[in-house]
Amino acid sequence: MSELNDPVTEEHKASLNFKWLLLMAWRDSRRNRSRLFLFISSIILGIAALVAIYSFEYNLRNDIDSQAKSLLGADLIIETNKTVKQESLPMLKSLGTERSEERTFASMIYFQKNGGTRLVNVRALSGDFPYYGDIETTPKTASRSFRLGKQALVDKTLMLQYDAKPGDSIKVGEVIFQIAGVLNKAPGQTGFNAAVAPIVYIPLSYLEETGLSQKGSRITYNFYYKFPPETNVNKLAKRLEPQLEKAELDYETVESRKENTGRSFEDMTEFLALVGFIALLLGCIGVASAIHIYIREKINTIAVLRCLGTSSRQAFLIYLIQIAGIGLIGSLIGAILGTLIQQFLPIVLKDFLPVEITVAISWMAVGQGLLLGLIISILFALLPLVSVRNISPLNTLRLSLEETSLFKDPIKWLVYFIIVLFIFGFTYLQMGSIKKTVLFTAGVLAGFIILAALAYAMMWLARRYFPSSWSYLWRQGFANLFRPNNQTLILVVSIGLGTAFICTLFFVQDILINRVTRSSSKNQPNMVLFDIQSNQKQAVADLTKSLNLPVLQEVPIVNMRMTEIKGRNAASYKKDSVAWGAMRGLEREYRVTYRDSLSDSEELIDGKWIGRAEPGKPVYVSLEEGYAKRIGVKIGDELTFNVQGAPLKVLVGSTRKVDWNRIQTNFILIFPTGVLEDAPQFHVLLTQVPSNELSAKYQQAVVRTFPNISMIDLGLVLSVLDEILNKMGFVIRFMAAFSIITGLIVLIASVLISKYQRIRESVLLRTMGASRKQILAITALEYFFLGALAAGAGIVLALIASWGLARFVFETTFSPELVPVLILFLLITSLTVLIGLFNSRGVLNRPPLEVLRSEV
Amino acid sequence: MDIILNIQNLSKTYQSGGRTLTVLDDISFAIEAGSTMSIVGPSGSGKTTLLGLCAGLDRSTSGIVELNHIRLDNLNEDQRAQVRNQHVGFIFQNFQLLPTLTALENVMVPLELRGEKNIRPRALELLDKVGLADRGHHYPTQLSGGEQQRVSLARAFSNSPKILFADEPTGNLDAETSEKVVKLIFDLNKEAGTTLILVTHDLDLASKTQRIIRIKGGSLVSDVKTKIENPERPDHVGA
């Protein structure tokens, strides 16, 4: 034993150790570098996606900081959606060195030239707003010149849609405005906003004349202020807060807008980063599987090294160094690619961005990408790598591959645990919420586990019910699914996940569109008229009927605010941090109707429905059950309302369940008849218009006769929804592409690995006289079965996920369209077969001996 | 005489399908340093298993393996690896060269593992001895079977082992090449004064060693001395 522990030898060992390990890792990789690179290439896109998103996020944050003033256009905005109280006016007129005023509301506009009508967001503006940035128009001068006369700026999509040109006229309310220019972008506006509510600017001085600012109209009042540069606007706003609160005015400063904008983009980048992370995880599965097979092929080399005196730790480290090196190279390529892809993100996301994005290399993002790539490639390669420790030198004498089972090797459990911990940690860093993180991690794990379980089940079934009566070629191809060194698990998981991703996306889009189109079916209302004044009610109904259109529903609406819940006001709830639901209930405005019976979309849950209030007796109202819970009230509790100046105490008489999916007027709060009849109110009318032509005619007639009435055409809602979904879908598809391409790379890598696995067998078959055609058929069949199983498993997963989403999130029924799914299934299966055959062509075209010599 | 390998009551059993399979049963023998010995026997008799246990590649179920006075059965796998690196050389039937290393690098590995310095000249000298001085930069696939086995020989002698284990060293070679390789093994062995243990089917080859033990069904059935003289020990080893 004395010679064994020779101190000189020990010292030598320590000094050579790392250098020699590096050297051996380098030498050992010599003939495998392209393969190792192929393995690691599956993480490149995941890293690229994350680096691109991180870079984008950092740049966006900088840009929001530098452009925050032009986002707001002013130093301070004071806003309210109630008529400004007289006593607040002196204060509002005393602030700032420059002031502008704006009133915004929804209204119909009418294009004089072609009779087109459209619901828009009208902004009546006075003063020189914006003080920072600009209202972007064509021609440029229009942004200032429209304020000088009866002129308007019209959103560019509207101009295109209605074929309008500067110089044409539009009618807003009772006034005809000349279009001064095309509105390209209002301060802080995104393409997304523009699709939902296109903007039309008019000078504030003509608002009165339009007749659209009557009492009861839902107008938002904005006051814009500019202060001298040295003013601390935040401090000033804080000081004004109690006064503003009392006057029921809200405010926004550059700082608070910056925070809000940043926060909403955090959500978006967080979502995108998670999509990228899924692509990375998918790639990691590919890495783990490829390294597993790589190590299998290295058993002999490792055994020889062990024979020559390499310790198990040294052998393990040689391969760990290889993986780390190649992981670092992969991450570096990913980071470079990500930095390049980042250039395209502003284009992809342009409809959602309120600021101009500068594209710059973010070293922080590159660093994060490199670190993440290194950690994740090592972590996932550890699973197969730990078995290197157990490879016996005895393998040099006879190959006795004893797989250590998971249960026997606690290190493997530890690695699994660390992987889950890593996923959890990474997600937590993105989301910052334990609940969301647990849900995401559980979701990802469940996805992987379900697919793996499906793969195992398929292998078991294929073995259990093996079709012995099939011809040899079919049997051989089929048996490859479960034979040793099969690729079933990895391909089902990787291709399956990619398929599930695309498929779920498709289903969700379908669910959303269906939910709206379902309501547009026959006999369902598809046109909503609102803002009908009481004195117009009869005339509008008559006009509707004169065009042979049915009046399906006519509902009165009264605006009010809740001032007390169970005798406590907002100030009292503010001190109570638990009662945020009640607080929110006291902050909002309610649109309330009154009627004597329940509608067919409502169902009484608790209490007693009282349809008519008796004079002198308490008034009983009905609340939607979920809302009652949120604000924390039960049957018999007291609520106090301010009905446009008049206080009104009521009791909760009943709670109702409401089917919100129906296109009809639904309400959180319903009053009985006999209370609100004399309150200021407007009316809503629902009708069903059978054709687009009639719809246009009807809209024109209504807008011409009753310019204050707004109309929502369900066809328009559908097309807007479609546009929004398309815009979001494009972003999601762009990100999903990373997962899909990663899936393809994993597929190519897996197929290439299986080529090494199958090569001896194919050559042997060829030696025994199998024709090229027969080998081709066996290979094609194997990949056909694999592709079909994987795509099928992915579709099953997507069906489960979409059903869950439909049932629990969108609360609708799920009836998937099967033709596109079938097409996707065939596409993925054929792609698998094609890649399989393409990669195997080397074995098919060359003589057996040449293949054996060069490849084995 | 100095005993380099001492085997006492060595047994090896495997569990297979719930049954206990005895591969080696109570084997004992001892070998003097610098001598040569063959282990012969039919296929499946346990001779390769015996070689594996003697060289510390595997653990016995019971019994003692003492190599250069070190009890292998008490050591863990990494300690046995160290013993192999310091005292043991190997020659395999299928050469077992590391495919991604050149011939020269293959010869250098055992020395690198020992942390020795300036090893290149020594590795080149060994390659020269086996007649492959000009093939050092070739990879195993670029060499013929005989050449690969010669590189393997150079590697086996590179760490100046006390004992050399050869498992069917000519099993994969044609008659003419076999003859050359066998001559080289015995010449180098004689020159270095190494103890040589051969596992073979080939009785001709076995008869070139001083002692032949025969294994059958896991038991030692005979242990005979041949007429070969013990080679003289040189002053220095491996040069």
Side-chain angles (χ1 to χ4, degrees):
Chain A
M1 290 300 281
S2 62
E3 286 181 61
L4 179 64
N5 294 323
D6 183 345
V8 178
T9 317
E10 290 295 308
E11 197 182 300
H12 266 138
K13 269 181 183 294
S15 66
L16 81 98
N17 225 340
F18 190 65
K19 211 170 132 198
W20 183 77
L21 291 174
L22 273 178
L23 182 70
M24 274 311 286
W26 173 254
R27 284 171 176 171
D28 184 77
S29 70
R30 269 179 195 147
R31 286 175 65 204
N32 308 298
R33 278 175 207 147
S34 56
R35 277 175 72 199
L36 276 170
F37 183 71
L38 182 71
F39 301 162
I40 223 75
S41 61
S42 43
I43 65 160
I44 288 179
L45 277 183
I47 294 293
L50 287 172
V51 170
I53 290 155
Y54 289 154
S55 306
F56 174 75
E57 193 183 354
Y58 291 132
N59 287 333
L60 182 71
R61 215 179 283 166
N62 286 339
D63 290 331
I64 288 177
D65 274 356
S66 63
Q67 297 171 44
K69 278 197 168 181
S70 60
L71 266 180
L72 202 63
D75 292 311
L76 174 72
I77 303 181
I78 294 180
E79 58 203 354
T80 176
N81 53 12
K82 275 162 280 176
T83 316
V84 181
K85 292 176 187 161
Q86 278 302 319
E87 60 265 32
S88 309
L89 286 174
M91 176 194 68
L92 289 172
K93 286 186 174 162
S94 67
L95 294 168
T97 47
E98 284 187 59
R99 287 174 284 277
S100 293
E101 194 180 333
E102 185 188 76
R103 291 187 202 161
T104 76
F105 52 91
S107 171
M108 299 301 280
I109 59 162
Y110 176 79
F111 287 87
Q112 297 279 99
K113 193 168 79 176
N114 50 21
T117 54
R118 171 71 150 93
L119 184 68
V120 300
N121 172 233
V122 177
R123 296 189 175 186
L125 180 68
S126 75
D128 285 333
F129 175 82
Y131 303 113
Y132 308 102
D134 225 333
I135 298 179
E136 290 171 28
T137 57
T138 315
K140 223 170 170 264
T141 49
S143 70
R144 299 277 156 196
S145 66
F146 86 93
R147 304 168 207 229
L148 304 173
K150 275 189 184 170
Q151 292 194 322
L153 299 175
V154 178
D155 176 88
K156 64 173 175 206
T157 8
L158 279 190
M159 293 289 280
L160 274 175
Q161 230 170 341
Y162 292 89
D163 193 24
K165 303 220 162 25
D168 290 352
S169 302
I170 51 164
K171 193 173 172 208
V172 183
E174 302 286 359
V175 181
I176 294 170
F177 292 90
Q178 192 190 35
I179 301 175
V182 180
L183 171 67
N184 298 321
K185 194 169 176 282
Q189 188 198 13
T190 63
F192 188 70
N193 295 149
V196 179
I199 295 171
V200 169
Y201 272 105
I202 57 167
L204 180 61
S205 46
Y206 297 102
L207 180 62
E208 202 59 46
E209 218 178 300
T210 61
L212 296 174
S213 62
Q214 300 159 17
K215 204 170 164 65
S217 304
R218 288 152 307 148
I219 296 179
T220 303
Y221 299 79
N222 293 316
F223 300 89
Y224 299 107
Y225 299 96
K226 189 184 177 189
F227 288 91
E230 65 276 7
T231 317
N232 185 336
V233 182
N234 280 317
K235 220 165 157 185
L236 177 83
K238 267 270 170 284
R239 216 178 55 225
L240 286 172
E241 211 173 84
Q243 228 178 317
L244 293 171
E245 215 163 88
K246 204 170 150 208
E248 294 181 275
L249 298 166
D250 295 322
Y251 72 90
E252 206 173 352
T253 62
V254 174
E255 209 49 47
S256 64
R257 171 68 66 96
K258 215 153 76 177
E259 266 170 42
N260 289 338
T261 314
R263 209 173 299 141
S264 57
F265 279 95
E266 248 167 50
D267 289 346
M268 188 177 82
T269 48
E270 175 186 288
F271 166 74
L272 295 179
L274 286 179
V275 177
F277 188 51
I278 290 180
L280 186 61
L281 283 180
L282 190 60
C284 287
I285 300 288
V287 170
S289 137
I291 301 296
H292 178 74
I293 289 165
Y294 179 67
I295 293 299
R296 248 169 210 259
E297 288 173 18
K298 286 287 175 186
I299 284 175
N300 204 47
T301 299
I302 296 164
V304 173
L305 281 172
R306 303 281 285 121
C307 234
L308 298 178
T310 312
S311 72
S312 56
R313 209 177 59 176
Q314 284 174 319
F316 169 76
L317 285 173
I318 288 172
Y319 290 94
L320 189 68
I321 290 170
Q322 263 183 21
I323 304 298
I326 211 84
L328 199 62
I329 294 171
S331 312
L332 193 66
I333 298 174
I336 294 170
L337 196 64
T339 308
L340 291 176
I341 290 170
Q342 190 221 147
Q343 322 276 327
F344 298 101
L345 275 183
I347 303 170
V348 175
L349 295 169
K350 69 176 190 301
D351 286 321
F352 300 89
L353 298 174
V355 288
E356 286 291 319
I357 296 290
T358 44
V359 180
I361 296 176
S362 162
W363 295 111
M364 179 81 172
V366 170
Q368 271 174 303
L370 287 180
L371 191 69
L372 186 66
L374 187 65
I375 292 176
I376 211 157
S377 48
I378 289 179
L379 207 53
F380 277 78
L382 270 181
L383 275 179
L385 270 187
V386 290
S387 49
V388 167
R389 294 162 24 257
N390 304 321
I391 292 174
S392 159
L394 206 58
N395 283 292
T396 47
L397 296 177
R398 62 164 74 90
L399 199 67
S400 60
L401 178 62
E402 289 166 33
E403 284 265 333
T404 36
S405 88
L406 189 64
F407 299 98
K408 281 187 192 148
D409 195 346
I411 299 276
K412 280 203 174 176
W413 278 114
L414 184 68
V415 175
Y416 275 116
F417 177 72
I418 296 173
I419 287 177
V420 173
L421 206 65
F422 177 78
I423 297 175
F424 189 87
F426 182 87
T427 315
Y428 183 72
L429 280 180
Q430 298 296 317
M431 296 185 141
S433 140
I434 291 278
K435 197 179 154 195
K436 279 189 200 170
T437 307
V438 169
L439 276 176
F440 178 83
T441 314
V444 167
L445 290 180
F448 281 117
I449 290 170
I450 289 174
L451 283 172
L454 281 171
Y456 277 121
M458 284 164 185
M459 282 192 267
W460 183 82
L461 285 172
R463 199 193 307 249
R464 177 80 179 77
Y465 300 102
F466 188 73
S468 324
S469 59
W470 286 5
S471 76
Y472 167 70
L473 296 183
W474 281 81
R475 270 185 290 135
Q476 181 75 8
F478 191 69
N480 282 349
L481 291 183
F482 55 80
R483 289 179 357 173
N485 298 332
N486 66 68
Q487 299 291 296
T488 310
L489 185 63
I490 175 67
L491 284 190
V492 168
V493 172
S494 61
I495 305 176
L497 213 59
T499 312
F501 220 171
I502 316 172
C503 223
T504 310
L505 209 65
F506 168 77
F507 283 146
V508 167
Q509 206 155 341
D510 209 38
I511 290 168
L512 289 175
I513 294 282
N514 263 343
R515 214 175 108 162
V516 185
T517 36
R518 195 162 51 108
S519 349
S520 66
S521 57
K522 283 240 167 341
N523 303 324
Q524 287 283 329
N526 63 1
M527 180 80 78
V528 184
L529 282 70
F530 55 96
D531 282 346
I532 304 170
Q533 303 297 312
S534 294
N535 58 10
Q536 296 172 322
K537 197 175 131 190
Q538 193 52 46
V540 175
D542 290 346
L543 173 69
T544 309
K545 284 174 192 153
S546 73
L547 288 167
N548 286 329
L549 300 173
V551 175
L552 294 172
Q553 224 185 354
E554 224 177 359
V555 186
I557 291 177
V558 180
N559 289 339
M560 57 179 75
R561 292 181 94 85
M562 206 188 276
T563 51
E564 282 176 13
I565 298 173
K566 295 189 272 192
R568 289 172 68 188
N569 62 12
S572 136
Y573 276 107
K574 217 168 197 175
K575 293 174 201 145
D576 187 350
S577 61
V578 191
W580 65 272
M583 192 59 225
R584 292 267 292 265
L586 290 167
E587 274 172 354
R588 56 169 287 188
E589 194 179 29
Y590 292 81
R591 289 185 226 299
V592 172
T593 194
Y594 53 91
R595 52 175 137 90
D596 58 7
S597 56
L598 286 170
S599 77
D600 56 1
S601 64
E602 296 168 323
E603 189 191 323
L604 194 70
I605 296 292
D606 198 8
K608 196 176 156 212
W609 170 259
I610 294 161
R612 177 143 195 98
E614 300 298 329
K617 290 198 173 158
V619 177
Y620 287 97
V621 297
S622 178
L623 275 172
E624 194 263 330
E625 57 159 342
Y627 196 75
K629 265 186 213 148
R630 276 203 291 285
I631 63 168
V633 296
K634 293 193 196 66
I635 306 295
D637 283 345
E638 190 189 71
L639 304 172
T640 310
F641 289 94
N642 174 342
V643 186
Q644 292 165 49
L648 175 63
K649 275 192 193 311
V650 299
L651 297 174
V652 179
S654 63
T655 57
R656 289 159 302 131
K657 189 176 170 181
V658 180
D659 177 6
W660 297 102
N661 286 329
R662 300 265 200 102
I663 293 274
Q664 65 179 64
T665 50
N666 279 319
F667 297 88
I668 287 173
L669 183 64
I670 297 179
F671 270 67
T673 52
V675 187
L676 297 174
E677 277 77 354
D678 294 330
Q681 57 193 271
F682 66 90
H683 300 260
V684 169
L685 182 147
L686 276 74
T687 181
Q688 208 256 335
V689 189
S691 70
N692 286 340
E693 292 76 32
L694 195 54
S695 170
K697 198 172 157 193
Y698 180 51
Q699 289 190 49
Q700 278 175 27
V702 172
V703 173
R704 231 180 285 163
T705 331
F706 311 101
N708 65 302
I709 293 176
S710 296
M711 303 170 85
I712 294 178
D713 179 358
L714 199 68
L716 185 71
V717 173
L718 263 179
S719 68
V720 169
L721 182 72
D722 198 43
E723 203 180 327
I724 293 168
L725 285 180
N726 273 338
K727 280 179 180 170
M728 290 190 336
F730 179 55
V731 178
I732 296 172
R733 266 192 296 272
F734 182 81
M735 292 309 298
F738 287 94
S739 289
I740 293 158
I741 300 172
T742 299
L744 282 178
I745 294 174
V746 173
L747 170 66
I748 293 172
S750 307
V751 168
L752 270 184
I753 299 159
S754 68
K755 173 178 134 181
Y756 291 102
Q757 299 285 327
R758 296 272 179 258
I759 215 156
R760 275 182 180 278
E761 186 176 293
S762 296
V763 169
L764 204 61
L765 284 172
R766 286 202 67 192
T767 318
M768 288 191 294
S771 70
R772 190 173 171 276
K773 221 168 149 187
Q774 283 171 316
I775 304 272
L776 196 74
I778 292 172
T779 315
L781 283 169
E782 179 182 356
Y783 288 112
F784 166 75
F785 289 127
L786 273 174
L789 286 181
I795 289 170
V796 169
L797 191 66
L799 283 170
I800 298 172
S802 307
W803 175 84
L805 282 172
R807 174 90 176 72
F808 301 109
V809 179
F810 303 114
E811 293 183 355
T812 180
T813 50
F814 175 50
S815 46
E817 260 194 72
L818 291 177
V819 179
V821 172
L822 196 69
I823 294 173
L824 186 73
F825 174 80
L826 291 175
L827 198 74
I828 288 172
T829 310
S830 347
L831 205 63
T832 315
V833 173
L834 278 177
I835 292 175
L837 289 181
F838 183 75
N839 281 319
S840 309
R841 72 198 186 288
V843 189
L844 295 167
N845 296 333
R846 284 147 60 194
L849 198 61
E850 189 189 324
V851 177
L852 269 177
R853 279 217 174 115
S854 64
E855 305 272 1
V856 181
Chain B
M1 262 302 171
D2 187 19
I3 300 295
I4 183 84
L5 181 68
N6 185 22
I7 303 293
Q8 281 177 35
N9 311 108
L10 192 67
S11 293
K12 177 77 182 173
T13 56
Y14 288 105
Q15 292 297 323
S16 173
R19 286 189 312 142
T20 306
L21 213 68
T22 304
V23 186
L24 287 178
D25 189 17
D26 196 25
I27 297 210
S28 301
F29 62 87
I31 300 172
E32 291 166 14
S35 65
T36 58
M37 185 184 97
S38 298
I39 303 170
V40 298
S43 294
S45 57
K47 48 188 195 304
T48 301
T49 307
L50 179 59
L51 180 90
L53 289 172
C54 293
L57 296 179
D58 200 2
R59 253 173 203 276
S60 62
T61 312
S62 63
I64 292 171
V65 179
E66 210 173 68
L67 195 145
N68 200 28
H69 310 293
I70 301 166
R71 279 277 299 265
L72 296 188
D73 42 290
N74 289 338
L75 303 183
N76 67 24
E77 181 43 51
D78 282 344
Q79 288 169 322
R80 278 186 277 139
Q82 210 180 330
V83 172
R84 289 195 295 270
N85 181 246
Q86 289 180 11
H87 307 299
V88 180
F90 286 100
I91 302 171
F92 302 98
Q93 178 175 3
N94 46 5
F95 326 130
Q96 298 288 21
L97 294 177
L98 296 169
T100 54
L101 271 59
T102 62
L104 181 67
E105 286 167 346
N106 261 289
V107 179
M108 280 157 54
V109 166
L111 298 169
E112 288 173 336
L113 270 169
R114 287 158 73 121
E116 288 188 17
K117 298 257 160 69
N118 206 18
I119 51 180
R120 205 181 162 85
R122 176 159 164 70
L124 279 170
E125 189 188 328
L126 277 162
L127 274 181
D128 189 35
K129 275 189 200 273
V130 297
L132 290 172
D134 55 340
R135 305 296 298 272
H137 59 285
H138 284 103
Y139 287 98
T141 47
Q142 296 167 319
L143 302 172
S144 70
E147 286 169 333
Q148 286 189 44
Q149 194 61 306
R150 275 145 66 195
V151 175
S152 158
L153 260 173
R155 182 179 69 185
F157 281 100
S158 66
N159 60 338
S160 313
K162 295 226 166 34
I163 187 162
L164 184 68
F165 292 96
D167 180 28
E168 301 280 10
T170 56
N172 275 0
L173 303 173
D174 61 63
E176 199 182 327
T177 316
S178 290
E179 210 172 298
K180 284 181 191 161
V181 167
V182 167
K183 187 173 178 319
L184 208 51
I185 293 176
F186 280 91
D187 286 352
L188 284 172
N189 189 60
K190 192 173 169 186
E191 190 183 326
T194 314
T195 312
L196 173 67
I197 297 183
L198 267 175
V199 163
T200 184
H201 275 109
D202 183 351
L203 293 179
D204 266 358
L205 175 59
S207 64
K208 290 187 167 69
T209 57
Q210 296 162 322
R211 188 173 160 197
I212 301 175
I213 62 172
R214 186 179 298 273
I215 305 279
K216 198 175 176 186
S219 301
L220 199 151
V221 290
S222 72
D223 184 348
V224 291
K225 287 200 170 160
T226 61
K227 289 173 184 159
I228 306 285
E229 289 293 316
N230 195 3
E232 275 176 37
R233 297 194 74 172
D235 294 338
H236 58 95
V237 175

